[in-house]
Amino acid sequence: MVMNYPKLFQNKIVMILVLSFLVVAAFSLSILIRQEQSLKSVPMVEKKDGVIEMKKALVDGAPVFPIFPDSAIHKSYKKTVDEKMEFLVIYEVDEEVPVIVSWYNKNAAVSGWTVVQNSDFPDAKDEQILLLRNNKYNLTLVVKDNETDGKTLISTEFLPL
């Protein structure tokens, strides 16, 4: 049984081009949808009666804290539990861990933050942790070398007093 297709679709080159166009269009659409979803705020319900909001930009209401020069926001979270807000902001930068920690030791006080506990290993080049406090938050500052891409991650976790 031979079916009668329009002459245009009987040409193999035209069929390959049409199929190629459809594959590229579908792939492009899926990338655009993923990008749009990643840029939007994604609220998620947590089991502990809280709500988490995530962004690739700074979440609304995040505390003011000095940002190491040339660092960019990698991820940002806001968690609301019992009307108290906790924040986590992760920055990414091209700099060595000791240089970043030294900068924060010098600049945190300017913004009203006090270093409560300095790094237990001040000579460590892969990771250092500082504990800071202001009049509203306890802050855990983790500066860690991301060995996979050569960048350093600066994690700032703000817990209300």
Side-chain angles (χ1 to χ4, degrees):
M1 180 172 166
V2 176
M3 299 188 88
N4 290 328
Y5 291 106
K7 211 171 203 178
L8 179 66
F9 291 114
Q10 292 176 357
N11 186 338
K12 290 180 184 179
I13 294 174
V14 171
M15 287 300 294
I16 290 172
L17 289 173
V18 168
L19 288 174
S20 299
F21 173 78
L22 290 174
V23 168
V24 169
F27 182 74
S28 299
L29 183 60
S30 71
I31 288 175
L32 288 173
I33 290 171
R34 274 189 255 142
Q35 283 179 343
E36 183 179 341
Q37 288 173 345
S38 70
L39 293 176
K40 287 184 178 178
S41 173
V42 183
M44 300 182 318
V45 177
E46 192 181 61
K47 294 180 182 177
K48 299 177 184 174
D49 299 326
V51 175
I52 296 178
E53 179 183 328
M54 299 187 314
K55 286 186 177 181
K56 287 197 178 231
L58 195 60
V59 291
D60 296 333
V64 175
F65 185 70
I67 300 170
F68 187 81
D70 298 323
S71 56
I73 294 174
H74 179 67
K75 291 181 185 173
S76 176
Y77 304 88
K78 174 171 63 174
K79 178 180 175 183
T80 307
V81 178
D82 297 330
E83 297 184 25
K84 289 188 176 185
M85 291 195 201
E86 300 173 4
F87 296 90
L88 174 66
V89 183
I90 301 172
Y91 298 92
E92 200 173 49
V93 68
D94 288 322
E95 190 56 79
E96 300 290 324
V97 171
V99 173
I100 297 168
V101 171
S102 174
W103 186 89
Y104 276 109
N105 276 320
K106 292 175 186 170
N107 292 289
V110 175
S111 300
W113 292 89
T114 304
V115 176
V116 176
Q117 181 179 346
N118 217 321
S119 177
D120 291 337
F121 304 98
D123 296 328
K125 294 183 181 189
D126 59 343
E127 179 180 44
Q128 292 191 38
I129 301 171
L130 301 174
L131 301 177
L132 299 100
R133 180 177 291 144
N134 73 358
N135 59 350
K136 292 183 180 180
Y137 294 96
N138 284 319
L139 167 64
T140 303
L141 177 74
V142 179
V143 182
K144 182 176 175 68
D145 181 19
N146 185 1
E147 298 166 359
T148 58
D149 63 3
K151 301 249 184 204
T152 300
L153 297 176
I154 304 168
S155 172
T156 56
E157 182 180 21
F158 302 88
L159 300 174
L161 294 175

